[in-house]
Amino acid sequence: MPRRIGQWYYGWTVVGVAMLFKAVVFGVTFYSFTLYANEWLADPEIEVSTATVMLGSSLVILMSGFISPLLGRALDHVSMRLFICLGAIMTALGMALVAHAIAFWQILLIYACVLPFGIVLSGPLAAQTLAVKWFDGRRGTAMGIVTTGTSIGGFCVPILVAYLFAETDWRTGHLVLAACILLLILPPVWLLVQNSPRDKGIDPDPPASTPTEVSENSSATPRLWTTRTILGEPNFWVICGVMLLLGAGISGISLHISPFATDLGIPKIQHGFFISLYAGIMIPSKIVFGHLSDRIDVRYLLWGGATCLGLCAALLAVTSSFIMLAVSCVFLGVASGSMLPLMGSLISSRFGAHAFGRVMGMLGPFNACAGFASVAIGAARDASGGYDAGWMLVLFTTVPIAVLTTFLDRIGRSRSHLRGGAVNRPS
């Protein structure tokens, strides 16, 4: 079979579509949530407290994590085009239902029972699974590029949503967003996405072969990973621990940027700059980390991401100005940008492309627990009257990240042998 269509490898087209649907779904559901919250709090028809409004964000994160294992397993066996389209429809349906809600408990129900399915089916899990299936030798680079979709959504979509809400009410705005989701995602996904190169009738991306490596796409039979064998694999738990701690630190800081800026006396109108800066830095960071994961031991890259997180926390502890907070957001963006491409690289190198969706999905419930870090930092602020204790808590989490990464190296080396005819490539 041919490897390319003309001079263009079709896998990059699939990556481009994956970036698009990730940007739309995450930009609408997560990054724009704070804009929805402001509208709901100001609406006299919906009497609700700030804490109750923020419960919507917590519910969608938790429920997305719990359904990820089931849907991640399905992504390895069914038409991804169909699943992504279904996810877009569910996300649009959620936005439309919110527009017609007459009580806030109905909005919470939508965020708990409808939107999580849309996010999992047409979010990072589906996008990264596509990148793994289409790329081998340049898998890390493709993973880094595809993960920028969420950051692009965070950089662009909230600005458009803010303009939309300035022109109309939030109910009409949600209906417009529902229509945009369908128009932007369904046509390109249905027309362009295929599960793998074989489905398109072309050869896969050539592997980065060495004398001791065997490609996942070769004739070697890969190990059959079941839920039991994955849970019994030490690599899974080490990856889980590293990503849980790294994600907890990142989410704990990012959700408190605006309240911390308020404590510093920075006007609220300037708070959006810090979010855009943080999301914007993530874009090149994801590309660089993904590209480097094809060439550098992933252990070193993980240590680099953890170091940036530690530097961010340390700077926040002494921050007293706009400039210092902006610099802290730069380090936070680099650390956050390292997470998804490195997690994808670790999973694909230890478990293979054929089990990527299942393993990624099984990490979902554990990664969802990282959202409670913001609660711990908030409790520390309530108890002490400031954020110093919370920032130091994040700083100290970088130590177990470094230790766990070392165990990952030892496990990876000891188990990089033939398994059922296939070789697990070391990172």
Side-chain angles (χ1 to χ4, degrees):
M1 291 184 293
R3 178 165 288 126
R4 300 173 180 273
I5 299 176
Q7 297 298 317
W8 177 257
Y9 177 57
Y10 193 79
W12 295 117
T13 299
V14 176
V15 164
V17 175
M19 290 173 62
L20 173 63
F21 67 71
K22 280 185 67 176
V24 174
V25 169
F26 254 61
V28 169
T29 56
F30 283 114
Y31 286 102
S32 298
F33 182 84
T34 183
L35 301 175
Y36 308 151
N38 286 336
E39 296 291 325
W40 295 330
L41 289 169
D43 192 336
E45 295 181 3
I46 300 181
E47 297 182 0
V48 63
S49 67
T50 303
T52 304
V53 167
M54 294 303 168
L55 184 60
S57 178
S58 300
L59 285 174
V60 76
I61 294 173
L62 288 174
M63 294 306 297
S64 297
F66 282 115
I67 65 176
S68 289
L70 176 62
L71 298 181
R73 178 177 180 179
L75 283 173
D76 288 326
H77 303 287
V78 300
S79 169
M80 294 194 61
R81 177 173 60 184
L82 180 62
F83 262 49
I84 295 167
C85 288
L86 179 60
I89 292 171
M90 293 292 288
T91 306
L93 175 62
M95 292 291 106
L97 290 174
V98 167
H100 291 90
I102 59 175
F104 195 74
W105 67 265
Q106 296 173 347
I107 295 178
L108 291 180
L109 188 64
I110 295 165
Y111 269 79
C113 300
V114 180
L115 288 177
F117 287 92
I119 292 167
V120 174
L121 288 173
S122 55
L125 177 59
Q128 289 182 258
T129 301
L130 276 175
V132 167
K133 290 179 179 295
W134 273 89
F135 288 87
D136 191 352
R138 295 174 292 179
R139 183 175 292 165
T141 300
M143 201 93 64
I145 293 174
V146 81
T147 56
T148 64
T150 53
S151 303
I152 294 172
F155 187 77
C156 299
V157 175
I159 298 174
L160 300 176
V161 171
Y163 176 79
L164 178 62
F165 285 172
E167 296 296 321
T168 186
D169 63 278
W170 66 267
R171 294 184 184 276
T172 304
H174 273 74
L175 290 175
V176 173
L177 290 173
C180 289
I181 291 169
L182 296 178
L183 291 174
L184 290 173
I185 295 179
L186 293 186
V189 169
W190 191 257
L191 294 174
L192 299 175
V193 169
Q194 298 285 348
N195 274 30
S196 66
R198 183 175 291 104
D199 293 338
K200 187 65 179 176
I202 62 176
D203 287 337
D205 181 55
S209 58
T210 67
T212 60
E213 293 177 357
V214 176
S215 168
E216 287 290 337
N217 296 309
S218 71
S219 59
T221 303
R223 176 176 178 178
L224 178 62
W225 290 100
T226 64
T227 299
R228 176 176 295 182
T229 57
I230 291 171
L231 292 176
E233 170 61 38
N235 274 320
F236 174 81
W237 295 106
V238 176
I239 295 171
C240 180
V242 170
M243 293 304 160
L244 173 61
L245 292 172
L246 189 60
I250 292 168
S251 64
I253 292 176
S254 63
L255 292 175
H256 284 277
I257 288 178
S258 184
F260 182 58
T262 299
D263 289 352
L264 294 178
I266 298 174
K268 289 185 178 180
I269 196 172
Q270 298 178 2
H271 294 188
F273 166 79
F274 300 113
I275 304 300
S276 294
L277 177 63
Y278 157 63
I281 291 296
M282 287 172 63
I283 297 173
S285 176
K286 288 178 177 180
I287 295 174
V288 170
F289 274 99
H291 181 71
L292 291 178
S293 69
D294 287 331
R295 294 161 173 79
I296 298 177
D297 193 322
V298 176
R299 293 173 304 155
Y300 303 140
L301 299 178
L302 281 171
W303 286 330
T307 299
C308 287
L309 177 62
L311 288 172
C312 173
L315 277 175
L316 288 172
V318 298
T319 289
S320 59
S321 66
F322 182 98
I323 296 298
M324 293 181 70
L325 181 54
V327 174
S328 300
C329 288
V330 170
F331 282 112
L332 181 64
V334 174
S336 184
S338 72
M339 186 173 174
L340 281 179
L342 295 186
M343 178 167 61
S345 179
L346 286 170
I347 294 173
S348 62
S349 64
R350 264 65 180 188
F351 297 93
H354 61 288
F356 183 87
R358 175 178 292 190
V359 177
M360 187 85 166
M362 290 176 64
L363 288 172
F366 302 99
N367 290 338
C369 296
F372 289 106
S374 61
V375 178
I377 293 176
R381 183 199 186 202
D382 293 337
S384 63
Y387 275 105
D388 288 350
W391 302 151
M392 295 307 296
L393 178 64
V394 174
L395 179 61
F396 288 138
T397 62
T398 60
V399 176
I401 291 174
V403 174
L404 283 172
T405 302
T406 302
F407 279 100
L408 176 67
D409 173 48
R410 185 186 311 154
I411 294 169
R413 288 175 182 268
S414 66
R415 292 175 178 263
S416 57
H417 54 76
L418 289 175
R419 290 179 167 179
V423 172
N424 282 349
R425 293 185 293 142
S427 296

